[in-house]
Each structure stands twice: as C-alpha cells, then as structure tokens.
Amino acid sequence: MEDRLLALAAAVESRAEYAVGHSELGPDHVLVDEGGNPVVIDIAGLMYFIFEREHVSLRIRLRISTGL
C-alpha cells in the first residue's frame, strides 16, 4: 500500500496557477453597482487556492440552498 501511495504522490505535478477565491461565495455575497459590475460584499472568506475548489464549493452550496 505504501509503494502504491508513493507512486501516486510522485505522479502529482506541482500546480503553476492559483487564484484568489471566496470559500462561501454565493448570490447573497455579491451586489451589483450602478454600472452593472458585480461587487463582492463579504471578503472574510477570501483565500489563495486552486480555482477548482471554489467552483466545487459554489456548486455544492447552490445545490443545497436551491434544493437542486
């Protein structure tokens, strides 16, 4: 098992691109200004991480809150 785990870990490449994201970003954390631009109003959850994490978190949150 250890050999398999080490082989899998060795196959993971370092990520070259990260993004700033909001761990609980949803419709209730964004307003629209007079020019129609989105404005984040709750920055307490901002983090620097891989973009896919934000995408998955938002999909889960919206699915739960909308019941889809």
Side-chain angles (χ1 to χ4, degrees), residues 1-2 16 19 24-25 37 47-48 51 57-58 60 66-67:
M1 183 184 253
E2 182 181 358
E24 52 183 43
L25 186 60
N37 301 303
M47 294 184 285
Y48 197 58
F51 180 75
S57 297
L58 186 56
I60 292 169
T66 60

Side-chain angles (χ1 to χ4, degrees), residues 14-48:
S14 295
R15 181 173 285 274
E17 187 175 327
Y18 293 86
V20 173
H22 192 288
S23 62
E24 52 183 43
L25 186 60
D28 56 338
H29 288 121
V30 179
L31 293 178
V32 178
D33 68 12
E34 297 85 14
N37 301 303
V39 179
V40 177
I41 59 170
D42 177 5
I43 61 169
L46 284 179
M47 294 184 285
Y48 197 58

